[in-house]
């Protein structure tokens, strides 16, 4: 598990680094209004991807790792249902492009949504490959595909500059389509190689199609809450903000706020197949141990990143973009913490899916549909970017707490004393950084990056020196690098 987690964290780091390179180029070459259009298109696609992709990926990974049904039957039936979902979202984007234009008060969006429709089937096939790889616990393959895709997305830059210079938004969309097709082709080759090298015995029991539909939709409906908090806030700002530049500023804040969620998704990728694997063999204590370990590691390595970004949001946005983006600094302060809460919420609900199915997640999703959207609209009208970001943090924090209580009641205690201590020390770090940067702001991307690295390394070093966390032994490091920590995660 550890080796797979490291691979996926590195993959997600590549994803974000590539994304920052792309958004640095877009944010500094496009007017704020045009950048807001790109952010709007990406936001809608992210919403659809979370419904379309996560349901299928998590469902197929769970079924393969539980080893209750024939793998080939699971793959074929999941693929057929995935194609149904793809057709629905393709139609929404292509034939509903005019509706999007009217709702978002921008007639130019129609063409861009019709082009974006072709990204949906490419993404649908790509995430099927990721789910199969997760279910087989080939986390190295998952990480490789997750690294190739964001790097290939940088092709949007030459598409913008040389192929579609008169319409850069189309260039961005074509770059994304090229990245999906290329990565999917590589994924097919890798999985075929795995199939010929490691032939597993076929199981006779076939999965009912209604089970595939139910579990896929259950995961999908749960990820509605993720989509709502991570995506719809940008659309609301686009619709109600008094200036077109506001959507561009908020897009800049969201890009950095999502860092913690993106890195937390590495833990979510690992947790479902690993816990399902232990439960499928009756090892409940082993499953609980893995859950505690994942939450503790997330609090140790990911939460400090969220805290650093939150406490220094003004310096970060002005250094990366321009001084105008400081308007979104209070929003980023809340969003960075909000998206960490969302990452933990997702992890906890995937744990519950392994123990009891998706009933709790379904209830949480329905409650979110009723509560979150009205709250976001009201907070955006009265509090602008800062108001909606604060509401986001309060919603994700509440959802995380409720999920944690339910996990404890259903499975057992998954929060250790060390996790509580680490959370408290991160709060102290936030106060210190906020105080220092309020008096001594840093203007400049390279100096700021150097300070970030220094603060992060010093913080972790102090934790080890004070024995809050144990020093890793050379033997443990060798086992980690060699994959000897248990489980097939190559």
């Amino acid at each position: 598990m550890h080796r797979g987690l490291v691979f996926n964290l590195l993959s997600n780091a590549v994803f974000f680094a590539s994304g920052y390179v792309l958004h640095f180029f877009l944010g500094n070459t496009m007017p704020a209004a045009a950048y807001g259009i790109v952010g709007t298109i990406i936001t809608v696609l992210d919403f659809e991807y979370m419904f379309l992709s996560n349901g299928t990926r998590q469902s197929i990974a769970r079924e393969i790792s539980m080893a209750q049904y024939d793998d080939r039957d699971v793959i074929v039936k999941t693929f057929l249902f995935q194609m149904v979902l793809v057709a629905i979202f393709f139609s929404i984007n292509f034939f509903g492009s005019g509706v999007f234009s009217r709702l978002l008060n921008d007639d130019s969006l129609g063409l861009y949504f019709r082009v974006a429709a072709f990204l949906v089937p490419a993404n649908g096939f790509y995430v099927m490959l990721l789910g199969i790889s997760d279910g087989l616990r080939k986390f190295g393959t998952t990480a490789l595909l997750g690294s190739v895709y964001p790097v290939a997305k940088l092709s949007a830059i030459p598409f913008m500059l040389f192929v579609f210079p008169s319409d850069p938004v189309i260039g961005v969309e074509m770059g994304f389509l090229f990245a999906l097709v290329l990565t999917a082709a590589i994924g097919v080759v890798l999985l075929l190689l795995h199939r010929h090298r490691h032939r597993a015995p076929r199981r006779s029991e076939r999965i009912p199609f209604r089970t595939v539909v139910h579990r896929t939709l259950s995961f999908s409906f749960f990820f509605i809450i993720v989509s709502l908090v991570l995506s719809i806030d940008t659309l609301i700002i686009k619709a109600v903000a008094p200036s077109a530049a506001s959507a561009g500023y908020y897009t800049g804040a969201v890009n950095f706020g999502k860092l913690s969620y993106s890195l937390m998704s590495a833990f979510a990728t690992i947790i479902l197949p690993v816990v399902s694997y232990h439960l499928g063999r009756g090892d409940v204590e082993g499953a609980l141990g893995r859950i505690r370990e994942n939450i503790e590691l997330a609090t140790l390595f990911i939460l400090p990143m969220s805290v650093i970004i939150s406490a220094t949001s003004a310096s970060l946005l002005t250094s990366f973009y321009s001084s105008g983006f400081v308007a979104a600094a209070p929003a980023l302060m809340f969003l960075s913490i909000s998206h960490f809460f969302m990452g933990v919420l997702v992890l906890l609900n995937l744990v519950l899916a392994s123990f009891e199915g998706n009933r709790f997640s379904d209830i949480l999703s329905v409650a979110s549909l009723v509560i979150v959207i009205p709250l976001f609209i009201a907070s955006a009208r009265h509090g602008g970017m800062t108001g909606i970001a604060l509401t986001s943090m309060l919603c994700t924090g509440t959802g995380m707490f409720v999920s944690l209580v339910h996990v404890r009641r259903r499975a057992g205690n998954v929060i250790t004393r060390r996790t509580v201590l680490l959370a408290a020390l991160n709060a102290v770090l936030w106060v210190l950084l906020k105080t220092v940067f309020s008096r001594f702001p840093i203007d400049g991307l390279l100096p700021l990056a150097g300070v970030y690295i220094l603060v992060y390394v010093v913080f972790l070093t102090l934790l080890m020196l004070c024995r809050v966390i144990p020093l890793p032994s050379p033997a443990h490091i060798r086992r980690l690098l060699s994959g000897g920590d248990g489980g097939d995660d190559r």
Side-chain angles (χ1 to χ4, degrees), residues 5 37 77 90 127 219 221 231 287 400 431 458 464 476 485:
L5 180 58
I37 291 176
K77 289 177 179 176
F90 177 90
V127 296
F219 278 114
F221 281 122
S231 300
M400 179 186 69
V431 173
V458 168
M464 288 188 287
H476 179 74
D485 58 329

Side-chain angles (χ1 to χ4, degrees), residues 310-324:
S310 173
T312 64
S313 57
S315 291
L316 177 57
L317 289 175
T318 55
S319 297
F320 192 86
Y321 292 108
S322 64
S323 58

Side-chain angles (χ1 to χ4, degrees), residues 153-453:
K153 282 173 68 174
L154 294 177
S155 63
I157 295 175
F159 270 103
M160 271 182 55
L161 294 177
F162 306 115
V163 183
F164 299 96
S166 61
D167 199 337
V169 177
I170 296 291
V172 172
E173 292 179 316
M174 289 297 101
F176 288 0
L177 181 60
F178 169 79
L180 284 169
V181 173
L182 175 65
T183 310
I186 295 173
V188 169
V189 172
L190 292 176
L191 288 177
L192 287 176
L193 288 174
H194 165 72
R195 174 191 173 191
H196 289 299
R197 292 176 183 174
H198 307 279
R199 290 185 179 275
R202 295 194 64 176
R203 286 170 286 277
S204 59
E205 188 171 359
R206 296 179 177 274
I207 187 170
F209 189 72
R210 65 179 180 276
T211 300
V212 172
V213 173
H214 172 72
R215 288 180 177 165
T216 299
L217 289 179
S218 291
F219 278 114
S220 295
F221 281 122
F222 161 66
F223 277 98
I224 285 176
I225 190 172
V226 180
S227 303
L228 285 171
V229 177
L230 299 185
S231 300
I232 204 168
D233 52 350
T234 304
L235 298 182
I236 292 173
I237 290 294
K238 172 71 174 173
V240 307
S243 70
S246 295
Y249 295 147
Y250 195 78
T251 297
V254 169
N255 286 336
F256 284 104
K258 283 185 177 180
L259 173 61
S260 55
Y261 178 80
S262 178
L263 294 176
M264 281 297 298
S265 67
F267 291 84
T269 297
I270 297 294
I271 198 69
L272 180 62
V274 168
V275 172
S276 296
Y277 175 82
H278 283 284
L279 292 180
R281 287 147 183 81
D283 183 12
V284 177
E285 283 304 315
L288 285 173
R290 294 300 196 186
I291 299 165
R292 295 186 188 107
E293 189 177 8
N294 270 266
I295 294 176
E296 191 173 290
L297 289 172
T299 310
L300 171 62
F301 291 109
I302 309 302
L303 183 55
M305 297 183 187
S306 300
V307 165
I308 292 170
I309 291 174
S310 173
T312 64
S313 57
S315 291
L316 177 57
L317 289 175
T318 55
S319 297
F320 192 86
Y321 292 108
S322 64
S323 58
F325 279 80
V326 76
L332 176 56
M333 181 178 68
F334 295 123
L335 287 174
S336 184
I337 304 300
S338 172
H339 289 186
F340 176 80
F341 288 164
M342 178 58 79
V344 178
L345 185 152
V346 169
L347 187 149
L348 293 171
N349 278 268
L350 292 179
V351 165
L352 285 169
S354 299
F355 276 91
E356 65 175 14
N358 300 84
R359 182 179 178 184
F360 175 81
S361 299
D362 291 344
I363 295 172
L364 194 62
S365 298
V366 172
S368 300
L369 285 172
V370 175
I371 297 172
V372 171
I373 294 179
L375 282 177
F376 274 17
I377 294 174
S379 60
R381 290 185 185 279
H382 298 288
M385 291 183 286
T386 303
I388 199 170
L390 174 60
T391 301
S392 171
M393 186 182 72
L394 294 175
C395 288
T396 54
T398 302
M400 179 186 69
F401 178 77
V402 171
S403 299
L404 184 60
V405 171
H406 192 69
V407 167
R408 180 167 184 164
R409 184 167 56 230
R410 178 62 184 85
N413 183 29
V414 294
I415 300 297
T416 65
R417 291 182 179 179
R418 181 180 292 162
T419 300
V420 175
L421 178 58
L422 287 170
L425 292 174
N426 272 279
V428 173
L429 177 64
W430 188 93
V431 173
L432 290 175
L433 287 175
K434 187 66 176 175
T435 302
V436 171
F437 271 75
S438 296
R439 298 181 178 180
F440 307 102
I442 294 177
D443 186 12
L445 191 56
L446 290 179
L448 186 64
V451 171
Y452 279 4
I453 294 171

